[in-house]
Amino acid sequence: MDAVAGPDRMLNPATRLLWRSNNCLQLELGDRAVVVDGPAARSVRRLAGRRSPTDTGPATGTAVLRALADAGFLWPRPAPDGEDRLTPPVPRLAAELAALSARRGEGAAEVLSARRFTSVLVHGSGRAGPHVAALLAAAGVGRVSLREPGPVRLHHGVPGGVLPGDEGRSLAAATADAVLRAAPETATETLPPDEPADLVVLAEDKPADPDHRDVLHRQRRAHLVVQLAAGHGVVGPLVIPGLSSCLRCADLHRLDRDPAWTALAVQLSVRRTRRAPGEVALESVIAGLATQQALAFLDGEQPAAIDGTLEQHPPDWRIRRRSWPVHPDCDCQSGR
Ligand SMILES: [Zn+2]
């Protein structure tokens, strides 16, 4: 029997099966949909375990099933005594795995398992930092920590992040608690210096410190900027040193447009200690967006924040992408 049409295949569990008529099936997987008509529809129905008592004819439509397998709609069926490829690393991640399977097909379990071995270090006292840390852990990232010497301030408290009751505690310790509330199996200790994190999230609601920026570049550490301000939130750029534009590139572009940018950046770097602006709904959108970009990078996909920023300005509902290509006067591509 053909391996594709045979009993060793099953429908990707994330597939929705809809009947358009008695002989016509519509299969939906993520944002993709295909319609299977005629005899092949019977074979698909068998794969879904919905064989009817009168359905005794031979399986047909092998070419259709092969196309469905190539498109990720069909998966290998686990052997009775073999490892179930649909089992997530921890039960809590079953929904994450099902959603990933819509995009990554048979490779979804491998992608999710690989997240267990990734690490993210969040830097800074930005309001979104603890929330991003908790979301990454909830999505299966194995080690997440926040490095920031300061305390929790009341404005840090957001659903999913640190709590209003954490005010005055160490922000790093309160973030670790937020991470463990979301994903108890996550490691929250910071990695030793000789084991760099796979991604650094710079959650400072101000321009990145030039010295820290340069250190990250020299050490070839990928970093993602997340910033919240009054009236807008920004995710990006995501810098992969030597392979993408960098934060200095973005500064040089700003300087091209505004000769006073350097003076403005210095003033913007002064940390606000009270009355920091922040809309909780915007923070939620930006934390989610930053987490998506970080996961795309960790999963080996192509995040839109590389060479660009993703920005939201309430009450506008759209997320706009601004491009920040490599600046011709920056030396970030010369292996500095
Ligand atoms: Zn650059």
Side-chain angles (χ1 to χ4, degrees):
M1 181 175 287
D2 186 280
V4 172
D8 58 341
R9 288 277 166 169
M10 61 182 284
L11 269 184
N12 181 330
T15 305
R16 286 198 73 188
L17 209 56
L18 305 170
W19 288 99
R20 295 176 67 87
S21 70
N22 285 341
N23 293 310
C24 185
L25 272 171
Q26 178 170 316
L27 288 79
E28 294 185 353
L29 184 61
D31 57 1
R32 294 172 287 158
V34 296
V35 173
V36 178
D37 207 354
R42 182 168 59 191
S43 297
V44 173
R45 187 169 61 184
R46 289 180 182 177
L47 288 170
R50 298 181 190 175
R51 188 175 191 149
S52 70
T54 57
D55 185 5
T56 55
T60 55
T62 299
V64 172
L65 294 178
R66 188 181 301 283
L68 288 174
D70 291 343
F73 284 86
L74 302 185
W75 274 12
R77 185 184 296 279
D81 55 350
E83 183 181 352
D84 186 348
R85 301 181 63 168
L86 308 180
T87 303
V90 291
R92 181 179 55 75
L93 292 172
E96 197 79 18
L97 177 58
L100 260 180
S101 70
R103 281 209 316 274
R104 304 294 290 261
E106 292 178 36
E110 194 175 335
V111 170
L112 195 56
S113 294
R115 284 186 191 171
R116 304 299 311 148
F117 299 96
T118 60
S119 58
V120 175
L121 177 62
V122 180
H123 263 282
S125 62
R127 193 183 192 198
H131 197 181
V132 171
L135 288 172
L136 286 168
V141 173
R143 180 182 293 272
V144 187
S145 59
L146 182 140
R147 181 177 290 165
E148 164 62 33
V152 176
R153 299 193 183 280
L154 197 54
H155 72 267
H156 283 121
V158 295
V162 298
L163 306 171
D166 288 326
E167 184 183 15
R169 293 182 62 205
S170 150
L171 184 59
T175 298
D177 288 349
V179 165
L180 294 174
R181 280 194 296 272
E185 73 283 357
T186 310
T188 56
E189 304 81 17
T190 304
L191 285 167
D194 58 339
E195 288 183 53
D198 296 293
L199 178 67
V200 174
V201 173
L202 298 175
E204 288 276 18
D205 296 335
K206 60 180 186 176
D209 173 62
D211 291 340
H212 188 207
R213 181 185 74 187
D214 291 346
V215 167
L216 290 171
H217 220 279
R218 275 200 306 277
Q219 296 180 343
R220 301 262 163 191
R221 296 190 183 185
H223 45 287
L224 172 68
V225 175
V226 185
Q227 288 183 330
L228 285 164
H232 72 282
V234 181
V235 175
L238 196 167
V239 179
I240 306 174
L243 297 176
S244 73
S245 71
C246 71
L247 302 186
R248 183 162 177 263
C249 287
D251 272 351
L252 290 170
H253 285 298
R254 291 186 181 100
L255 195 57
D256 288 344
R257 297 169 194 174
D258 184 352
W261 168 248
T262 304
L264 297 176
V266 169
Q267 295 167 70
L268 288 169
S269 298
V270 177
R271 180 175 294 177
R272 297 185 185 206
T273 56
R274 52 175 53 188
R275 293 188 182 174
E279 299 172 63
V280 69
L282 175 64
E283 187 282 332
S284 246
V285 170
I286 292 300
L289 189 59
T291 304
Q292 279 184 335
Q293 294 298 300
L295 291 174
F297 170 74
L298 296 171
D299 292 348
E301 296 178 327
Q302 187 74 12
I306 292 177
D307 293 342
T309 49
L310 307 175
E311 306 183 3
Q312 220 243 329
H313 297 250
D316 189 359
W317 54 270
R318 289 164 291 192
I319 292 168
R320 299 173 184 272
R321 184 181 185 280
R322 293 179 70 184
S323 182
W324 299 99
V326 172
H327 193 283
D329 293 340
C330 189
D331 59 358
C332 62
Q333 303 299 303
S334 60
R336 62 172 178 166

